[in-house]
Amino acid sequence: MSHGKGISGSLQDDVPMYTTSNGCPVKDPEASQRVGENGPLLLQDFNLLDILGHFDRERIPERVVHAKGAGAHGEFEVLDDISDITTIDMLKGVGKKTKMFGRFSTVGGERGSADTARDPRGFSMKFYTEEGNWDWVFNNTPIFFLREATKFPIFIHSQKRCPQTNLKDATMFWDYLSTHQESVHQLMHLFSDRGTPFSFRHMNGYSGHTYKWIKPDGNFNYVQIHCKTDQGSKTFNADEAAKLSASNPDWNTEDLFRAIERGEHPYWTCYVQVMSPEQAESFRWNIFDLTKVWPQKEIPLRRFGRFTLNRNPANYFAEVEQVAFSPSHLVPGVEPSADPVLQSRLFSYPDTQFHRLGVNYQQIPVNCPLRAFNPYHRDGFMAINGNYGATPNYPSSFHPMRYTSTNASQSHEKWVGSVVTKQTPITDDDFVQANGLWNVLGRQPGQQENFVQNVASHLCNAKAPVRERTYQMFSRVNGDLGATIKTATEKQS
Ligand code: NDP
């Protein structure tokens, strides 16, 4: 029986035509082809196969943490001049605005779990800056349960379901926490009423980790970022949260969506705590310890901006489910500190996005930077953005690319171990062993001649400047070798 016929027959041209996934218009998408009135289905019915096959693949792996969340688009604005401490492009100039996307979440529950669970909240922002996407992958607490990287997956296991009963398990929960007592500070936050925020709109966000804001001359400060809700911090007590878990488990998701729909655009004021490397060395607290804050009386907050969430996603899956944050999505002027938990997150977040969304997850529109040009990344599932066409997929001498300059390091870096980003330079030493092999070949009659001919018959197909550079390279192996290869090659070019 056809349900669609009556509609499709009479509609205007500007109404979209329903098609199969390959664009073929379909007469009746709800009808399937059968052998006669009551016979079996036909394998030739592509519309049916298309619908079933797609439906069977609708689910992607849910986030192993932060699975349940809500998000919205927005805008960041610089409120104060902080050019004395940073040259980050997004923060240059009072009034400068940057488009963004934010996502909030619970941590431990699955995608269908209750929003009002006692749990930290994820607080992630993606800023589409002129110099790439800058992600703030924060929480609503300024600290966390642990300070060692390997403990993260282990700790999360203890807060999830029991492997035998598939139930949340208070013994597991407290067994871990009472045997890993560095978590007590976070437990104080979690079991205060801030453990059950009233809504995503009414909670703060904290970087928790220490980052470095580094200037082009190599000078840097350590920083922690605070985002304070301008809606006011508001919480549920345990009873209220438990009741909502039953009556409206999607309360926070709904609250955010409805508020934006009503035009009540939530906003947060952003502050930074700034500490010099010298201060860090003698500070009372280890600044790379994620279980500690920087007391605000000693390191005051300095205001620098505000972001506002002002547009709901048009499609939850495309935007909220597929948005992919990582603390390693940084921009010039920001570097990770040596905090080991941050360091491990730099790896783990892109790794999980590769698994969840695929290697080309940055090509999904909500993740797409304003500009990206990395033609050394090639292929892989869903290479949909033209795959860089004919641009060489290696550093080609025919297609030069600009690279940004790296920052100089400072003496303080010795305290944490200096990071060096460089290639090992080519020296005469690199040719010594190649020369040794050339001499070995000379011990056997004909081997050197074969080598020269083998190179020449291949090299003759390369363009002239490449041939010339290669002759010079072989000259460094042996005084005559470059010239010998040149003579043999040019005869064949
Ligand atoms: P301060 O008295 O200078 O700061 C305390 C901060 O605690 C406030 O600025 C406020 O930050 C936050 N706060 C207020 N009420 C609550 C609450 N019910 N639950 C959790 N946090 C609250 O002291 P310190 O900076 O020395 O910090 C003292 C303790 O406060 C810390 O050990 C930490 O547990 C907590 N805290 C500290 C923060 C920091 O970055 N120093 C940030 C948040 C909490 P806000 O406006 O951000 O809520």
Side-chain angles (χ1 to χ4, degrees), residues 347-407:
F347 162 76
S348 191
Y349 279 65
D351 189 48
T352 205
Q353 309 302 358
F354 285 156
H355 166 65
R356 210 169 63 82
L357 302 167
V359 68
N360 288 309
Y361 74 87
Q362 302 266 34
Q363 295 186 20
I364 296 170
V366 71
N367 298 322
C368 241
L370 298 180
R371 276 176 295 283
F373 188 74
N374 46 13
Y376 307 158
H377 291 190
R378 285 296 167 138
D379 308 350
F381 286 115
M382 303 299 292
I384 53 175
N385 288 354
N387 207 20
Y388 292 102
T391 311
N393 54 6
Y394 71 98
S396 164
S397 55
F398 298 100
H399 292 82
M401 263 192 278
R402 283 185 299 128
Y403 303 106
T404 187
S405 55
T406 52
N407 292 309

Side-chain angles (χ1 to χ4, degrees), residues 11 46 113 147 186 226 354 395 398 450:
L11 292 177
F46 179 66
S113 57
R147 55 180 167 233
Q186 175 76 329
H226 299 238
F354 285 156
F398 298 100
N450 285 357

Side-chain angles (χ1 to χ4, degrees), residues 118 126 132 150 161 178 195 244 281 322 414 419 480:
R118 181 172 304 287
K126 184 182 287 293
T150 44
R161 293 173 185 275
S178 60
L244 264 177
E281 289 182 33
Q322 293 199 115
K414 292 194 181 98
V419 176
D480 298 331

Side-chain angles (χ1 to χ4, degrees), residues 205-255:
Y206 306 90
S207 65
H209 297 295
T210 297
Y211 278 89
K212 286 156 76 178
W213 279 6
I214 184 161
K215 288 192 161 182
D217 64 5
N219 284 305
F220 70 85
N221 285 301
Y222 288 113
V223 298
Q224 294 219 348
I225 295 176
H226 299 238
C227 310
K228 294 211 188 198
T229 170
D230 283 282
Q231 290 60 245
S233 180
K234 196 170 161 188
T235 59
F236 286 126
N237 64 32
D239 276 353
E240 292 163 338
K243 278 185 190 134
L244 264 177
S245 292
S247 63
N248 186 356
D250 302 322
W251 160 252
N252 285 357
T253 308
E254 184 178 341
D255 173 80

